[in-house]
Amino acid sequence: MSLGLIIAISLAFFGVLAALAILLDIPVIGTKRASRSNIRTNMRNIVNAQRDMQRQFAAGSDGTFVGQNRLYDAAEEAKVQRLTDSRLTLAKKLKYAQWKIPPSVFYAASAATSLVVFGVVSMYFNIVMRILALLSGPLFWNWLLTLKVDKRFKAFDADYPAFLMSVVGLLKTGMNTMAALKSAAEGLEPGSMVRTEVELMNERLRFGVSEDAAIGAFGEDIFHPEIELFVQALLLSRQVGGNLSDTLERLAKQVRKRQYFRNSASAAVGMQRGSIWFIIVILVLLEIYLFFIYPEAIKGAWADDFGWQVWQFGMLAILLGIFWVRQVTKIKI
């Protein structure tokens, strides 16, 4: 047995184990939640340094401030290093999908799938289909991961606008913020993701977590663009005051509008996506009909070298068409 074959079998074995861990949702390595306390501490240090320097300012004869250079030096020393990134990386997608695995396990599962498909395809198909088989692992697992992220997003988005409007109504009756959040969440179904997130926030408060940290962790593992706006509105309301009900009411209207536009876009592209699957079903049914009516034509094409190449070209064109249609009709959240 050659060394390359042994390496390929080993990679496929460990990749299959990684794939089983993903599908069975087995936590391989515990995920660490990013803490926001360091960012708040650094910002607080900058503000305190600026206030201290402003107290030491003294106007000179030429109208300039004596302590201005010291303020600039303090600001340079207290620069905050950017710890977060808005890009949707693989680690973030795994967190949003609640797959408790590191990215290395995901890559191993993708490589194993590609090797297995490549081994099967190489026995019957040409070099073009073999190269395409090497892409099957990343395409399949990215599709599965995106499907999981979208499923959690839709489950949260289904109850989010109603929850916000319920909170607005309770706040206008004079109820305080945390009690309004709890009461609005209790009005949702027991399996609602919004209700689960509010219950987790209350659990953190009961275990002694500060209110800012508990509110800041609301919906941190859900990929939804309006969650951060909701969290920032709560935090700013608790720190500087203001009319929170009006802010949340505007946010609820924005969420409903985005829901409407997203559903309208999905309905608009649904016909295009459905048409290509309808065409593929017709092609398959025609081939099955020809196979029963005139089997020699189908079997003869399979047996002939040129005919088999034409079959492979047709399958490749269909696969590329499906991929192209999905990319064109993809709707960003």
Side-chain angles (χ1 to χ4, degrees):
M1 185 180 292
S2 62
L3 179 60
L5 183 59
I6 295 175
I7 295 175
I9 294 175
S10 301
L11 288 175
F13 174 74
F14 287 111
V16 170
L17 292 180
L20 290 175
I22 293 174
L23 293 175
L24 298 177
D25 199 15
I26 301 175
V28 179
I29 296 178
T31 56
K32 296 181 179 179
R33 298 199 173 191
S35 175
R36 305 182 183 181
S37 59
N38 294 332
I39 299 177
R40 296 196 187 97
T41 302
N42 292 333
M43 293 298 296
R44 194 179 297 113
N45 291 336
I46 291 178
V47 174
N48 292 334
Q50 290 175 343
R51 288 175 178 173
D52 292 339
M53 288 302 173
Q54 285 175 351
R55 295 192 191 101
Q56 299 175 7
F57 279 165
S61 58
D62 55 352
T64 60
F65 292 105
V66 177
Q68 188 171 4
N69 293 331
R70 291 199 298 271
L71 176 60
Y72 290 155
D73 295 338
E76 288 293 330
E77 294 176 358
K79 277 185 176 179
V80 178
Q81 185 179 3
R82 185 177 179 181
L83 301 178
T84 59
D85 195 351
S86 59
R87 292 177 298 177
L88 187 60
T89 60
L90 178 59
K92 289 183 180 179
K93 292 182 72 173
L94 292 172
K95 176 183 177 182
Y96 293 143
Q98 285 195 333
W99 285 5
K100 300 177 179 62
I101 58 171
S104 57
V105 177
F106 182 85
Y107 291 136
S110 300
T113 305
S114 297
L115 288 175
V116 173
V117 176
F118 177 80
V120 175
V121 170
S122 60
M123 294 187 296
Y124 305 101
F125 296 90
N126 56 21
I127 186 64
V128 178
M129 298 296 290
R130 294 174 188 175
I131 295 175
L132 187 63
L134 293 176
L135 302 176
S136 60
L139 290 175
F140 171 75
W141 287 108
N142 276 288
W143 169 78
L144 196 62
L145 181 61
T146 304
L147 187 66
K148 181 66 174 179
V149 174
D150 290 343
K151 182 179 179 181
R152 287 175 53 79
F153 162 78
K154 291 177 181 177
F156 184 88
D157 191 62
D159 298 324
Y160 191 42
F163 167 75
L164 291 177
M165 292 305 298
S166 180
V167 173
V168 170
L170 293 173
L171 289 175
K172 289 183 177 180
T173 62
M175 189 177 294
N176 63 65
T177 304
M178 300 308 296
L181 293 175
K182 183 178 179 181
S183 299
E186 290 176 351
L188 300 175
E189 296 181 358
S192 172
M193 289 192 64
V194 178
R195 179 172 180 173
T196 302
E197 289 297 324
V198 175
E199 290 174 351
L200 287 174
M201 181 173 60
N202 291 326
E203 285 291 330
R204 296 187 185 101
L205 292 174
R206 280 196 290 268
F207 280 106
V209 180
S210 64
E211 288 188 354
D212 289 349
I215 294 173
F218 177 83
E220 62 181 357
D221 57 350
I222 301 173
F223 185 54
H224 197 288
E226 272 83 21
I227 290 180
E228 187 65 26
L229 297 176
F230 173 70
V231 170
Q232 294 299 328
L234 290 181
L235 293 176
L236 290 175
S237 174
R238 299 189 65 81
Q239 292 174 4
V240 300
N243 195 345
L244 180 61
S245 60
D246 292 342
T247 303
L248 293 183
E249 188 174 6
R250 288 193 294 269
L251 179 59
K253 292 180 180 179
Q254 176 181 337
V255 174
R256 289 188 183 276
K257 287 181 180 179
R258 288 177 67 98
Q259 262 187 357
Y260 172 76
F261 290 136
R262 190 162 45 244
N263 294 333
S264 300
S266 299
V269 302
M271 183 177 296
Q272 282 72 20
R273 287 190 174 184
S275 62
I276 189 171
W277 289 112
F278 182 72
I279 294 172
I280 292 173
V281 170
I282 291 177
L283 291 175
V284 172
L285 292 177
L286 283 175
E287 293 296 333
I288 295 175
Y289 175 77
L290 288 175
F291 182 80
F292 285 104
I293 297 300
Y294 188 36
E296 290 79 8
I298 305 298
K299 295 180 180 179
W302 291 346
D304 185 71
D305 292 337
F306 181 75
W308 181 232
Q309 296 298 326
V310 173
W311 266 86
Q312 294 181 67
F313 177 78
M315 288 186 287
L316 179 62
I318 291 174
L319 292 176
L320 291 178
I322 294 173
F323 178 77
W324 177 74
V325 168
R326 290 189 61 86
Q327 292 301 314
V328 170
T329 58
K330 184 183 293 185
I331 299 173
K332 293 184 179 180
I333 296 175

